[in-house]
Short mmCIF file of all heavy atoms in Angstrom, two decimals:
data_model
loop_
_atom_site.label_atom_id
_atom_site.label_comp_id
_atom_site.label_asym_id
_atom_site.label_seq_id
_atom_site.Cartn_x
_atom_site.Cartn_y
_atom_site.Cartn_z
N VAL A 74 -31.13 22.54 23.44
CA VAL A 74 -32.45 23.17 23.36
C VAL A 74 -32.94 22.99 21.93
O VAL A 74 -32.13 23.02 20.99
CB VAL A 74 -32.39 24.67 23.76
CG1 VAL A 74 -31.30 25.39 23.00
CG2 VAL A 74 -33.72 25.35 23.53
N TYR A 108 -29.73 9.23 17.52
CA TYR A 108 -31.03 9.86 17.34
C TYR A 108 -31.96 8.93 16.55
O TYR A 108 -33.10 8.68 16.92
CB TYR A 108 -30.87 11.20 16.62
CG TYR A 108 -32.15 12.04 16.56
CD1 TYR A 108 -32.43 12.98 17.55
CD2 TYR A 108 -33.05 11.87 15.52
CE1 TYR A 108 -33.60 13.74 17.50
CE2 TYR A 108 -34.24 12.64 15.46
CZ TYR A 108 -34.49 13.56 16.46
OH TYR A 108 -35.65 14.30 16.40
N TYR A 207 -38.52 23.25 29.50
CA TYR A 207 -38.78 24.14 28.37
C TYR A 207 -38.13 25.53 28.60
O TYR A 207 -37.69 26.16 27.65
CB TYR A 207 -40.27 24.30 28.13
CG TYR A 207 -40.99 22.99 27.91
CD1 TYR A 207 -42.28 22.78 28.41
CD2 TYR A 207 -40.38 21.95 27.22
CE1 TYR A 207 -42.97 21.56 28.20
CE2 TYR A 207 -41.03 20.73 27.02
CZ TYR A 207 -42.30 20.56 27.51
OH TYR A 207 -42.96 19.36 27.33
N GLN A 249 -3.66 20.91 45.31
CA GLN A 249 -2.61 20.14 45.98
C GLN A 249 -2.61 18.67 45.60
O GLN A 249 -1.73 17.93 45.99
CB GLN A 249 -2.75 20.26 47.50
CG GLN A 249 -2.44 21.62 48.06
CD GLN A 249 -3.74 22.33 48.42
OE1 GLN A 249 -4.71 22.29 47.69
NE2 GLN A 249 -3.75 22.93 49.59
#
Side-chain angles (χ1 to χ4, degrees):
V74 51
Y108 189 91
Y207 304 144
Q249 291 105 316

